[in-house]
């Protein structure tokens, strides 16, 4: 048993060195190329409208606010200033979303974003995005990369297609630090020892983002006033939870397997599903020793089996907001074929670790 485990870990480490590192290097190269173009477009936007200031900065070879969705798809979060005059309200009526309401006694004229405030005093995510989309469209025509970049049509999101190969979504957002959403108040669960009080305090201090984008739970009813809502996002908090042990290595292997074998019609699975299941696995295995290098194979198998179970039940709850289903709106047939493909993958890795050479 121990020998089989060691063999799997050896093969996984080899896979990590050969496949995952190559994937990382290729993506890093793409990111540099993509960010040059996006920065140029955003510089042009800022000239027209100084309220939209580019926050895409490189730090330690990482771009702050950039999320890799897949090797050809990225999201750049553009942080907006001055949320101060608004109260953050999440009463749970819209899973995964919250609204920003003008504080009592504040006049809308006190806000930097005065023309995007609705009659009932809400700062409209949709109105801000619509204005931003117009500015980006104009900037694309003017910027020095105009030959290689164009807007993606037929969407209310702000998406750029670059060199006909890459798609980048640019999402206006507010950073919320020092508060924690009510809809995530149950976290951490009292009977689970992970991640421990110090890490919990760090994560809650890290806060979350409010994004102006179409909400999972609102697909199909975007016309109502609810489309003024903002989407909750916990990227930095999640990254902080995944520090230490072989957690990030495990995530890297999962992302690489997904890119190579689970990129399926209907796009049932993305890297965020992998990250979510890894967080749940951390709860199931709360001890740090469970995340030693020697346990990499066990943790990976656990996550793949959990993924199959979620695909079969057609439900994958968000880690911090369990009322939000990350499979919502995905075609059932796509989830089914993903379950079968994941099962084949898991069986292959478990019964024959050497097969990783070919995967």
């Amino acid at each position: 048993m121990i020998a089989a485990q060691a063999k799997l870990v050896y093969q996984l480490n080899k896979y990590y060195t050969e496949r995952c590192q190559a994937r990382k290097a290729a993506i890093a190269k793409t990111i540099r190329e993509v960010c040059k173009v996006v920065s140029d477009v955003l510089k042009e936007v800022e000239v027209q409208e100084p309220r939209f200031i580019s926050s895409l900065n490189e730090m330690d070879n990482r771009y702050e606010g950039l999320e890799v969705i897949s090797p050809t798809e990225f999201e750049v979060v553009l942080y907006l200033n001055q949320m101060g005059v608004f109260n953050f309200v999440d009463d749970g009526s819209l899973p995964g979303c919250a609204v920003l309401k003008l504080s009592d006694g504040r006049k809308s004229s006190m806000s930097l974003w005065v023309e995007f405030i609705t009659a009932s005093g809400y700062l409209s995510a949709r109105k801000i995005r619509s204005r931003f989309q117009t500015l980006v469209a104009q900037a694309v025509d003017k910027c020095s990369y105009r030959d290689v970049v164009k807007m993606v049509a037929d969407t209310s999101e702000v998406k750029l297609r670059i060199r006909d190969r890459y798609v980048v979504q640019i999402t206006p957002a507010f950073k919320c630090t020092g508060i924690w959403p009510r809809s995530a108040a149950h976290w951490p669960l009292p009977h689970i020892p992970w991640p421990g009080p110090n890490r919990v305090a760090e994560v809650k201090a890290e806060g979350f983002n409010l994004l102006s984008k179409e909400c999972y739970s609102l697909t199909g009813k975007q016309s109502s006033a609810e489309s003024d809502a903002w989407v909750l996002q916990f990227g930095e908090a999640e990254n902080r939870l995944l520090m230490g042990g072989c957690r990030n290595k495990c995530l890297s292997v999962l992302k690489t397997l997904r890119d190579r074998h689970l990129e399926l019609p209907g796009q049932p699975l993305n890297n965020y599903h992998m990250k979510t299941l890894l967080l749940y696995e951390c709860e199931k295995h709360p001890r740090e020793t469970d995340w030693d290098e020697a346990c990499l194979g066990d943790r990976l198998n656990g996550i793949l089996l959990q993924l199959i179970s979620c695909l079969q039940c057609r439900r994958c709850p968000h880690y911090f907001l369990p009322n939000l289903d990350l499979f919502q709106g995905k075609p059932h047939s796509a989830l089914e074929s993903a379950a079968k493909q994941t099962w084949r993958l898991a069986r292959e890795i478990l019964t024959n670790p050497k097969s990783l050479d070919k995967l």
Side-chain angles (χ1 to χ4, degrees):
M1 186 64 200
I2 301 288
Q5 210 177 9
K7 199 168 169 184
L8 176 54
V9 171
Y10 168 78
Q11 288 292 342
L12 283 170
N13 277 319
K14 190 173 164 201
Y15 188 82
Y16 178 75
T17 309
E18 290 170 8
R19 299 270 201 275
C20 302
Q21 298 288 30
R23 173 188 180 273
K24 274 186 180 169
I27 288 176
K29 188 166 173 260
T30 303
I31 286 173
R32 278 194 296 277
E33 191 180 329
V34 157
C35 284
K36 262 190 218 138
V37 179
V38 174
S39 293
D40 201 57
V41 170
L42 290 177
K43 222 183 350 245
E44 205 55 61
V45 167
E46 206 177 311
V47 170
Q48 300 171 58
E49 172 54 275
R51 286 180 298 183
F52 291 106
I53 301 167
S54 172
S55 51
L56 186 63
N57 300 315
E58 192 178 0
M59 281 165 62
D60 312 326
N61 290 331
R62 277 187 69 237
Y63 281 91
E64 200 194 352
L66 181 126
E67 195 74 32
V68 178
I69 313 292
S70 80
T72 57
E73 218 180 319
F74 306 89
E75 181 171 19
V76 169
V77 171
L78 182 81
Y79 292 109
L80 307 175
N81 288 325
Q82 288 203 3
M83 193 183 104
V85 298
F86 297 99
N87 282 332
F88 165 77
V89 184
D90 70 329
D91 55 8
S93 60
L94 302 170
C97 295
V99 291
L100 290 172
K101 190 165 181 16
L102 205 55
S103 311
D104 292 342
R106 298 291 189 121
K107 293 190 174 66
S108 57
S109 57
M110 294 175 173
S111 168
L112 184 65
W113 306 100
V114 55
E115 72 271 41
F116 306 109
I117 299 171
T118 65
S120 28
Y122 292 104
L123 180 62
S124 169
R126 182 178 43 94
K127 285 182 174 176
I128 284 189
R129 188 166 72 247
S130 163
R131 171 80 181 119
F132 182 58
Q133 191 172 37
T134 308
L135 292 166
V136 171
Q138 290 164 1
V140 162
D141 291 339
K142 286 185 185 162
C143 78
S144 46
Y145 290 97
R146 54 186 170 276
D147 299 340
V148 297
V149 60
K150 50 181 183 286
M151 292 282 284
V152 175
D154 307 327
T155 171
S156 85
E157 311 282 21
V158 180
K159 288 186 177 182
L160 302 178
R161 189 180 301 285
I162 297 172
R163 299 190 205 284
D164 279 330
R165 272 207 302 273
Y166 310 115
V167 173
V168 184
Q169 178 166 335
I170 311 176
T171 306
F174 286 107
K175 207 179 198 36
C176 303
T177 48
I179 52 172
W180 190 248
R182 207 162 74 184
S183 45
H186 64 283
W187 183 86
L189 297 168
H191 57 282
I192 289 177
W194 185 81
N198 294 349
R199 185 57 61 90
V200 169
E202 281 173 24
V203 165
K204 289 192 171 181
E206 192 73 60
F208 56 96
N209 293 326
L210 289 176
L211 307 185
S212 167
K213 64 196 290 190
E214 287 184 10
C215 183
Y216 275 112
S217 58
L218 294 180
T219 325
K221 36 182 176 178
Q222 279 293 327
S223 59
S224 66
E226 292 170 340
S227 58
D228 295 328
W230 297 75
V231 174
L232 293 157
Q233 187 245 35
F234 297 85
E236 296 303 320
E238 290 156 354
N239 294 342
R240 198 167 272 271
L241 283 175
L242 294 177
M243 286 154 94
C246 66
R247 292 176 180 88
N248 274 308
K249 184 183 268 193
C250 192
L251 183 57
S252 220
V253 171
L254 286 164
K255 285 176 176 178
T256 308
L257 288 169
R258 192 219 72 90
D259 289 354
R260 295 170 70 93
H261 305 282
L262 296 166
E263 182 63 80
L264 303 167
Q267 298 191 308
L269 288 177
N270 59 37
N271 287 335
Y272 191 65
H273 294 118
M274 301 303 187
K275 191 183 193 184
T276 300
L277 292 171
L278 177 57
L279 288 162
Y280 282 118
E281 189 73 8
C282 291
E283 286 193 346
K284 283 185 207 154
H285 298 277
R287 295 198 309 265
E288 274 312 297
T289 49
D290 295 334
W291 294 91
D292 287 345
E293 287 286 323
C295 302
L296 181 60
D298 290 345
R299 296 296 79 83
L300 185 81
N301 280 325
I303 293 165
L304 290 174
L305 294 174
Q306 187 58 56
L307 175 58
I308 295 163
S309 164
C310 285
L311 287 162
Q312 287 172 338
C313 301
R314 301 180 187 145
R315 187 170 157 71
C316 179
H318 186 287
Y319 178 67
F320 286 114
L321 311 167
N323 288 340
L324 180 62
D325 176 16
L326 299 178
F327 285 157
Q328 183 154 345
K330 300 280 183 194
H332 287 176
S333 57
L335 296 173
E336 219 159 279
S337 55
K340 286 181 183 146
Q341 180 64 0
T342 308
W343 173 241
R344 279 195 288 272
L345 208 53
R347 192 178 53 197
E348 188 81 25
I349 293 168
L350 196 53
T351 56
N352 176 21
K354 256 192 102 53
S355 67
L356 280 158
D357 286 342
K358 298 194 296 290
L359 290 175

